[in-house]
Amino acid sequence: MYNVITQLFFFLCSASLLYTQKIELSTPLEGIAGKDFFIVNYVDHDSSVNAIKDYQCGTQTYDGHQGTDFTLRSFAQMDSGVAVLSAADGVVFHVVDSLYDRNKVSIVERGFGNWIGIAHEGGWRTYYAHVRTNSALVKPGDRVVAGDAIALVGSSGNSTDPHLHFEVWKIDTVLHDPFGPGSCGVQPSSLWKNQLPYDTEYKVIDYGLLNWVPTLDTLRERPTPPTSFALPDSVVTFWIHQQGLRTGDVIRVEWRRTVDNALWFEYEFPVSEQDWWYHYFWTYINLPPSDQYVVRYFINNREIIAREFDVDGSNAVEDETPVTGISIRYLPGDWNILSLTQTGNTPPSTLSLTLFDQSGKRVGKLYTGEVNSERTFIDLAPLKLSAGLYFLQIVEKAGIGSTLPIFVSQ
Ligand SMILES: [Zn+2]
């Protein structure tokens, strides 16, 4: 009965960077940036622990990351076969491709998993990590030229999602970030033939509706969308996969009936903890009465998505007064309160609110009672919650409900 806001990261390392004789690199995988793959993490240029800086002094990296992560949309896309390409002419010096390639959790010890190494003139070396099982098209000693397909993108080793982790070294002792120049990088000029732009704009990678409650892993696989919503479906799920969410951004989701724009449920919460460069979010409502609806997704009051859907043949609450608009807001930090309001000229609603932790364990009943146009505040402090993700289940008297994520930060 819950849903999740989810945040994924990738993996590892630390760097001292020097400039030496140049190498000219081409993009090490096929496809178009921002469409077929997304740069999720650059090299971390901040050597202190728990501090990060990409080459432009931004946050598009994680602590100790030594490479560039080119990440696919999904495992379904990985299955279609996306080629890893040699970034420059050279000689293959290492090939491993026998390891499992559908990892979805970060286990540092797994390292590169399947990887290919190529030696280039001038003592340069490039590394292509996490490739697919049995996908290597080269063997040690093979000569390759820039752009040759050498394997397929996978998720072997320490990897949560299908991606190519690409590293550039000089004589194996000095790590290079191929991107430059940048205020926090060390490369006076780019090592790329055509450097992909540094793009920190918010973007939607994918989104959709489902008639069941997904998990992070099922979303990563990209489930087939339903053709309609009707009993025996019990829920309507909205999910989104996005890049470039910033700390302090406010997400808002509105569920409305199309005919009169009546608000079903609305909630808001601020993005916290960090900026997110590969982020899944989902939420769902119980199946509403037969009608046409729209779910609207906003960031900082800017509408990002409006997705309509029909519900047919639901008799769950056909004869009940429809749910009246409820706006729910979580205020984090020192506040640590939920704020409930009824919007519009509708009679008060009776709601029951229950909090669950990530494992689905019931933390406690938060509230049962009326919500009207006066704000109702629920103080979460007495619960002494540890920081992390929780799910708030909201059930209205007619059985209509919604479940939404609450990220408690302390
Ligand atoms: Zn990486």
Side-chain angles (χ1 to χ4, degrees), residues 42-158:
Y42 291 97
V43 171
D44 178 18
H45 287 270
D46 191 321
S47 55
S48 37
V49 177
N50 293 329
I52 56 168
K53 259 184 210 130
D54 62 38
Y55 77 108
Q56 294 283 19
C57 310
T59 60
Q60 210 164 348
T61 181
Y62 63 85
D63 201 20
H65 193 234
Q66 290 191 306
T68 306
D69 288 336
F70 299 89
T71 307
L72 306 187
R73 292 166 174 274
S74 66
F75 282 91
Q77 187 193 358
M78 173 182 121
D79 292 341
S80 74
V82 177
V84 175
L85 311 175
S86 174
D89 300 356
V91 177
V92 176
F93 69 86
H94 180 98
V95 175
V96 177
D97 74 343
S98 58
L99 300 170
Y100 179 70
D101 65 4
R102 218 175 186 82
N103 290 326
K104 290 176 172 167
V105 291
S106 169
I107 296 177
V108 174
E109 293 71 26
R110 287 179 178 163
F112 277 4
N114 297 320
W115 66 277
I116 291 176
I118 300 178
H120 311 277
E121 268 190 18
W124 291 94
R125 289 185 173 212
T126 52
Y127 296 78
Y128 308 78
H130 313 308
V131 304
R132 261 174 82 172
T133 314
N134 296 326
S135 74
L137 298 170
V138 291
K139 56 184 189 312
D142 283 358
R143 291 207 150 267
V144 291
V145 299
D148 277 357
I150 55 173
L152 296 174
V153 176
S155 189
S156 59
N158 182 17

Side-chain angles (χ1 to χ4, degrees), residues 10-12 41 62 65 67-69 130 163 165:
F10 288 66
F11 323 53
L12 351 164
N41 297 298
Y62 63 85
H65 193 234
T68 306
D69 288 336
H130 313 308
H163 75 291
H165 171 102

Side-chain angles (χ1 to χ4, degrees), residues 147-198:
D148 277 357
I150 55 173
L152 296 174
V153 176
S155 189
S156 59
N158 182 17
S159 177
T160 59
D161 292 84
H163 75 291
L164 173 68
H165 171 102
F166 177 71
E167 283 187 23
V168 182
W169 291 74
K170 173 94 168 161
I171 328 181
D172 257 356
T173 54
V174 181
L175 174 67
H176 283 256
D177 182 347
F179 288 86
S183 315
C184 286
V186 295
Q187 218 77 253
S189 61
S190 172
L191 297 183
W192 299 104
K193 202 178 296 175
N194 294 301
Q195 177 164 292
L196 294 169
Y198 182 76

